[in-house]
Amino acid sequence: MRPRCEPCQTAKGCDVAITAHLPGEEIQFDWFDLRITPDEWAEPAQGYPWPWSVYQWLPGELPEAGALSEPVLLAEDLAAFVAAMRNITLPAAPKAHRGRPVASQDAETRAAIKELRGIPQEDVDCDAAAAVWEEALWAPGWDGPPVWLHADLMPGNLLVDGGRLASVIDFGCAGVGDPACDLFPAWNLLPADAREVFREALAVDDATWVRGRGRTLSQALIALPYYRRTNPAMAHNARHVIRAVLDKG
């Protein structure tokens, strides 16, 4: 149970962001089922003024960058999921908070770079990070129709079984926007060879790839100083992303 999710700007919390649009339905795609029927559904009441729901436990384990047993197959699975999301057509689609233009993250990203300059223990090449971010800002923006995004494809929101993608969870940030927002796994999870498989499977153009890289780096730069003493897993992945991007990723 969670109240309003400030980073994602969902109105009712991450657990109900999708069900608010299609309560009690399932959507069948060629590759996956988007299941949005809770096992139990409760209305707001005294002590907790938001709707809440209970779901079954899903099989699988969280993937870890650098310890994937089937990285290329996982890249293909992730690309198929992202492509299926983009093919959703629903009326009155909400705008994904993270799907806005890259420039909407400029002030926060620059502030994070400045903060990291004052944390030499993290050994972040802040000049290189700033250059990658500048490149993302200068890249042409998305000029096609907005597409459906999960918008939070972090390792902690993925489950794998036998090295293959088994489930994608936490749709609290979902909405429509720039397709670059769903390229995060290219740097937060996949090694270089699988990263190229992921890109090729989605036919990502150069500008979208540059924006995706910049967005992923931005998230990591912001997360590292915020989580470095409170959330080891998030901080560890942020460091991984920064290395992956700055090592010509």
Side-chain angles (χ1 to χ4, degrees), residues 147-181:
V147 300
W148 270 93
L149 308 163
H150 178 277
D152 197 18
L153 291 178
M154 299 291 291
N157 289 335
L158 306 174
L159 294 175
V160 297
D161 188 6
R164 304 295 297 271
L165 184 64
S167 297
V168 178
I169 62 177
D170 196 346
F171 282 71
C173 294
V176 297
D178 181 358
C181 295

Side-chain angles (χ1 to χ4, degrees), residues 12 55 79 110 130 137 143 145 150 190 204 211 216:
K12 297 184 180 180
Y55 293 80
R110 292 185 188 278
L137 288 171
D143 59 2
H150 178 277
L190 299 173
V204 181
R211 293 196 311 277
T216 311

Side-chain angles (χ1 to χ4, degrees), residues 184-200:
F184 283 26
W187 297 275
N188 70 25
L189 184 60
L190 299 173
D193 56 343
R195 185 181 307 144
E196 290 304 316
V197 170
F198 180 71
R199 178 179 183 177
E200 184 176 349

Side-chain angles (χ1 to χ4, degrees), residues 16-192:
V16 296
I18 296 297
T19 53
H21 296 280
L22 289 173
E25 294 187 17
E26 291 187 2
I27 305 172
Q28 175 72 47
F29 295 99
D30 290 339
W31 188 80
F32 71 101
D33 294 324
L34 177 57
R35 301 187 185 277
I36 46 183
T37 303
D39 298 296
E40 299 291 340
W41 179 267
E43 295 299 325
Q46 185 176 3
Y48 193 80
W50 296 276
W52 58 276
S53 52
V54 177
Y55 293 80
Q56 294 180 6
W57 190 264
L58 297 171
E61 58 187 17
L62 299 178
E64 182 180 350
L68 305 176
S69 62
E70 297 287 353
V72 171
L73 294 178
L74 180 58
E76 294 172 349
D77 292 344
L78 285 164
F81 171 80
V82 171
M85 285 292 296
R86 293 178 181 178
N87 287 332
I88 295 174
T89 56
L90 292 173
K95 293 182 179 180
H97 176 67
R98 289 179 179 155
R100 299 178 300 167
V102 173
S104 66
Q105 289 296 113
D106 189 37
E108 194 172 3
T109 303
R110 292 185 188 278
I113 293 173
K114 182 178 180 180
E115 186 173 1
L116 285 166
R117 290 187 187 278
I119 311 176
Q121 306 94 300
E122 292 295 347
D123 195 28
V124 174
D125 186 340
C126 292
D127 290 340
V132 171
W133 179 242
E134 287 286 352
E135 188 177 2
L137 288 171
W138 283 100
W142 178 246
D143 59 2
V147 300
W148 270 93
L149 308 163
H150 178 277
D152 197 18
L153 291 178
M154 299 291 291
N157 289 335
L158 306 174
L159 294 175
V160 297
D161 188 6
R164 304 295 297 271
L165 184 64
S167 297
V168 178
I169 62 177
D170 196 346
F171 282 71
C173 294
V176 297
D178 181 358
C181 295
D182 270 352
L183 300 181
F184 283 26
W187 297 275
N188 70 25
L189 184 60
L190 299 173

